[in-house]
């Protein structure tokens, strides 16, 4: 009886979903799930390594995309509540200004959908402490901590919930996140084996653009550009004012040669600038080096600064404009939550029914 009720509920929700999703149909089953943490401004690495890929995916009619602001992940380590509140809005504004279109994808704030944490609790029963404590990121991040928050151990399970709650089968990831995606795949395999098929296997979507996958720090080009680098001088945030972008590029670490050539091992600083040039212009490395043949490093840096400033100018204007209307941003996130919640409800009805947690209504 309950199963019949459940399947009626699922079917009626499906009809509602059809109205909300351009791409929801039996033939177009690829569901992409991805998230970004509201831990500070978006830099060039985040833009080329993640956001630009989201833009391509949301415009692909064979996929439905579920993108969220992963605020629950950003409290994995101690945080400042006021900064978090602000970062959620500025990240939403940056993503919208970059071209994320809430009509083409489901765009929402993770913590608004309680099912993420509910599913996490259920999945935890399928995993061992040993499996999680051997993950490379846990080992690396916990090394110097006196007290290790449990969230640091458990967040890969929240990541798994983020994906499978929406039955995601394509997950854009970098190499560093692959071990976590394996956890999600193991959980899917185990859940389906014990309780019957509910979740499709989440597969990695890896970018083949090596330049976009690793934008390097302007100060330490042997490392990735990162929000957590001690100095912000190694970073360009995409909403930085022109004078900041210019200063960061002019002071980027290079070497004692004054010409422009690409050789990542021998000349990592200049080569990183050429990589950024390639990402912003679409030109090949050879074209860039040939155009810059007669320039000194300083002249080249100045030309690159002009290019980067121009490239991000429309995003910066739109971002500043959006921030004048926080209510508008909140309304978009609210609408996204409503869409996300319907899918999450459906999945959790199935999960609860399969594992024996039958709600009485
Ligand atoms: P994070 O905020 O560091 O968790 O990163 C959000 C997204 O940006 C992830 O998909 C990362 O793989 C990507 N990302 C972060 N830093 C870089 C970088 N320096 N180069 C390319 N992609 C990056």
């Amino acid at each position: 009886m309950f199963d019949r009720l459940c399947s009626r509920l699922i079917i009626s929700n499906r009809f509602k979903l059809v109205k909300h999703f351009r791409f929801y149909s039996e033939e177009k089953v690829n569901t992409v799930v991805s998230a970004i943490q509201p831990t500070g401004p978006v830099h060039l690495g985040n833009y080329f390594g993640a956001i630009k890929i989201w833009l391509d995916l949301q415009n692909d009619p064979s996929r439905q995309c579920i993108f969220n602001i992963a605020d629950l992940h950003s409290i994995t380590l101690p945080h400042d509540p006021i900064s978090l509140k602000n970062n959620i809005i500025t990240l939403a504004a940056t993503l919208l200004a970059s071209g994320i279109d809430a009509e083409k994808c489901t765009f929402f704030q993770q913590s608004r959908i309680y099912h993420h944490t509910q599913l996490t609790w259920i999945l935890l029963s399928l995993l061992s402490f040993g499996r999680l404590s051997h993950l490379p990121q846990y080992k690396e991040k916990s090394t110097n901590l006196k007290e290790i928050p449990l969230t640091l151990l458990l967040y890969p399970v929240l990541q798994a919930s983020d994906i499978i709650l929406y039955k995601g089968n394509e997950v854009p990831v970098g190499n560093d996140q692959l071990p976590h995606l394996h956890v999600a795949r193991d959980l899917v395999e185990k859940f389906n084996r014990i309780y019957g098929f509910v979740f499709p296997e989440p597969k990695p979507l890896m970018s083949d653009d090596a330049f976009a996958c690793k934008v390097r720090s302007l100060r330490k080009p042997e490392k990735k550009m990162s929000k957590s680098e001690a100095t912000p001088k190694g970073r360009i945030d995409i909403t930085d004012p022109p004078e900041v972008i210019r200063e960061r590029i002019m002071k980027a670490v290079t070497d004692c040669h004054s010409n422009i050539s690409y050789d990542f091992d021998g000349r990592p600083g200049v080569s990183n600038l050429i990589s950024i040039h390639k990402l912003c212009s679409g030109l090949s490395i050879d074209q860039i080096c040939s155009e810059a043949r007669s320039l000194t490093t300083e002249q080249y840096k100045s030309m690159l600064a002009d290019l980067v400033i121009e490239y991000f100018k429309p995003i910066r204007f739109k971002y500043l404009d959006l921030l004048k209307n926080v209510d508008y941003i909140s309304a978009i996130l609210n609408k996204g939550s409503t869409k996300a919640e319907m899918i999450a409800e459906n999945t959790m009805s199935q999960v609860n029914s399969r594992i024996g947690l039958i709600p009485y209504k």
Side-chain angles (χ1 to χ4, degrees):
M1 166 67 186
F2 175 75
D3 271 339
R4 270 217 315 275
L5 198 70
C6 260
S7 58
R8 266 219 305 276
L9 211 122
I10 291 162
I11 290 165
S12 76
N13 275 346
R14 275 203 176 162
F15 278 116
K16 278 191 226 154
L17 285 172
V18 173
K19 282 196 234 149
H20 285 274
F21 285 106
R22 271 193 331 146
F23 310 136
Y24 195 86
S25 78
E26 289 307 318
E27 311 93 69
K28 297 170 181 172
V29 286
N30 281 333
T31 299
V32 178
V33 180
S34 195
I36 186 161
Q37 291 189 48
T39 40
V42 165
H43 56 68
L44 290 191
N46 300 135
Y47 181 79
F48 288 110
I51 297 173
K52 199 123 190 299
I53 296 168
W54 287 14
L55 297 179
D56 291 340
L57 290 168
Q58 78 168 359
N59 288 323
D60 177 350
S62 70
R63 293 176 158 115
Q64 63 165 348
C65 295
I66 315 276
F67 298 139
N68 77 59
I69 294 182
D71 51 353
L72 290 174
H73 284 287
S74 62
I75 60 168
T76 298
L77 292 172
H79 74 286
D80 169 40
I82 294 174
S83 306
L84 176 58
K85 221 170 167 178
N86 192 38
N87 286 341
I88 291 167
I89 288 296
T90 52
L91 177 57
T94 310
L95 292 168
L96 293 170
S98 300
I100 291 302
D101 181 344
E103 295 297 320
K104 294 182 179 171
C105 65
T106 301
F107 174 54
F108 64 104
Q109 185 185 338
Q110 179 198 26
S111 63
R112 292 284 306 277
I113 310 300
Y114 301 118
H115 312 71
H116 289 247
T117 42
Q118 191 190 355
L119 184 56
T120 299
W121 182 250
I122 291 167
L123 295 180
L124 281 171
S125 68
L126 302 176
L127 264 188
S128 71
F129 171 81
R131 176 81 172 88
L132 290 176
S133 64
H134 283 104
L135 289 169
Q137 284 206 358
Y138 174 74
K139 285 203 218 160
E140 185 195 317
K141 290 184 181 170
S142 61
T143 306
N144 296 321
L145 294 178
K146 258 196 207 151
E147 279 192 31
I148 303 168
L150 276 173
T151 39
L152 196 58
L153 179 75
L154 304 180
Y155 84 90
V157 188
L158 180 60
Q159 278 181 327
S161 302
D162 296 340
I163 300 163
I164 71 174
L165 187 56
Y166 302 96
K167 304 201 173 170
N169 63 338
E170 291 188 320
V171 187
V173 279
N175 278 331
D176 54 342
Q177 286 297 319
L178 273 180
H180 292 183
L181 190 61
H182 286 146
V183 171
R185 291 169 74 160
D186 289 352
L187 283 166
V188 161
E189 189 278 319
K190 197 163 180 189
F191 186 100
N192 288 343
R193 180 162 39 84
I194 298 175
Y195 301 112
F197 181 84
V198 172
F199 301 113
E201 182 190 354
K203 297 200 179 84
L205 261 186
M206 316 245 344
S207 169
D208 52 7
D209 185 346
F211 295 94
C213 287
K214 195 162 186 178
V215 178
R216 294 160 189 262
S217 160
L218 299 175
R219 289 300 169 108
K220 292 184 182 165
E222 65 285 359
K223 295 203 159 158
K224 261 174 104 162
M225 187 176 282
S226 161
K227 289 176 196 169
S228 54
E229 194 177 334
T231 164
K233 292 177 182 164
R235 222 171 59 211
I236 294 173
D237 296 332
I238 68 170
T239 49
D240 272 341
E243 60 279 12
V244 173
I245 297 181
R246 186 170 301 283
E247 196 195 341
R248 299 269 160 92
I249 293 180
M250 295 310 289
K251 292 195 173 156
V253 166
T254 46
D255 50 44
C256 55
H257 305 288
S258 69
N259 66 324
I260 303 302
S261 66
Y262 188 86
D263 164 17
F264 230 116
D265 296 327
R267 307 190 65 192
V270 174
S271 301
N272 187 35
L273 295 180
I274 296 172
S275 302
I276 293 171
H277 191 154
K278 181 182 184 321
L279 289 166
C280 291
S281 67
L283 295 173
S284 70
I285 298 289
D286 285 348
Q287 280 171 313
I288 293 168
C289 292
S290 145
E291 275 182 19
R293 206 173 10 212
S294 59
L295 302 180
T296 62
T297 310
E298 201 174 346
Q299 287 168 331
Y300 178 68
K301 283 177 167 178
S302 176
M303 185 189 86
L304 178 62
D306 290 341
L307 178 73
V308 176
I309 290 167
E310 276 308 304
Y311 187 93
F312 288 105
K313 200 187 215 171
I315 295 181
R316 177 175 151 74
F317 280 156
K318 194 144 192 235
Y319 165 80
L320 293 174
D321 204 41
L322 280 163
L323 281 184
K324 289 181 199 148
N325 195 348
V326 172
D327 287 348
Y328 172 73
I329 299 173
S330 302
I332 289 181
L333 290 174
N334 282 339
K335 208 170 154 197
S337 294
T338 308
K339 283 162 74 175
E341 194 171 21
M342 277 197 280
I343 311 175
E345 272 294 338
N346 258 313
T347 307
M348 288 314 293
S349 296
Q350 277 182 290
V351 168
N352 286 335
S353 160
R354 290 291 173 85
I355 66 173
L357 291 175
I358 300 173
Y360 57 92
K361 279 188 181 167

